[in-house]
Amino acid sequence: MPLWLWVALGSAVGGVVRYAVARLWPTVLGGWPLATMGVNVAGMTGVLGGFTTYSAFALETVTLAEGGAVLRAAAYASLTVLLCIAAAAAGRLLASS
């Protein structure tokens, strides 16, 4: 099977799993979209590349801000980015050991 087809299939699987996480964990704790944060932190290239979604992260951040929770939106965005960077660093460290 060509490599591009493996990538497409992996992305499709990741997208379906991401949808399932959102359906299974639809509520937000303190107004935070934790399902999106969790999948974005856990996401990596390959199958989990289709698992993450920047568009949902951006929309949820804007929705929080428009709803009057500007500080919560800023904290959510900042923490998501920091956790994603930490997860990437941990992945590199794990792969190099």
Side-chain angles (χ1 to χ4, degrees):
M1 185 176 334
L3 180 59
W4 66 267
L5 190 53
W6 282 112
V7 172
L9 289 172
S11 183
V13 169
V16 170
V17 173
R18 192 262 179 263
Y19 175 77
V21 168
R23 298 289 290 173
L24 293 171
W25 197 7
T27 58
V28 293
L29 179 63
W32 285 51
L34 293 178
T36 300
M37 181 187 287
V39 298
N40 284 337
V41 171
M44 295 175 186
T45 57
V47 172
L48 293 182
F51 180 55
T52 64
T53 174
Y54 181 78
S55 59
F57 162 67
L59 177 62
E60 289 166 345
T61 302
V62 169
T63 301
L64 284 170
E66 288 178 346
V70 176
L71 290 178
R72 185 175 293 150
Y76 170 67
S78 299
L79 186 58
T80 298
V81 170
L82 290 173
L83 288 173
C84 289
I85 291 169
R92 287 182 56 90
L93 183 63
L94 184 65
S96 68
S97 61

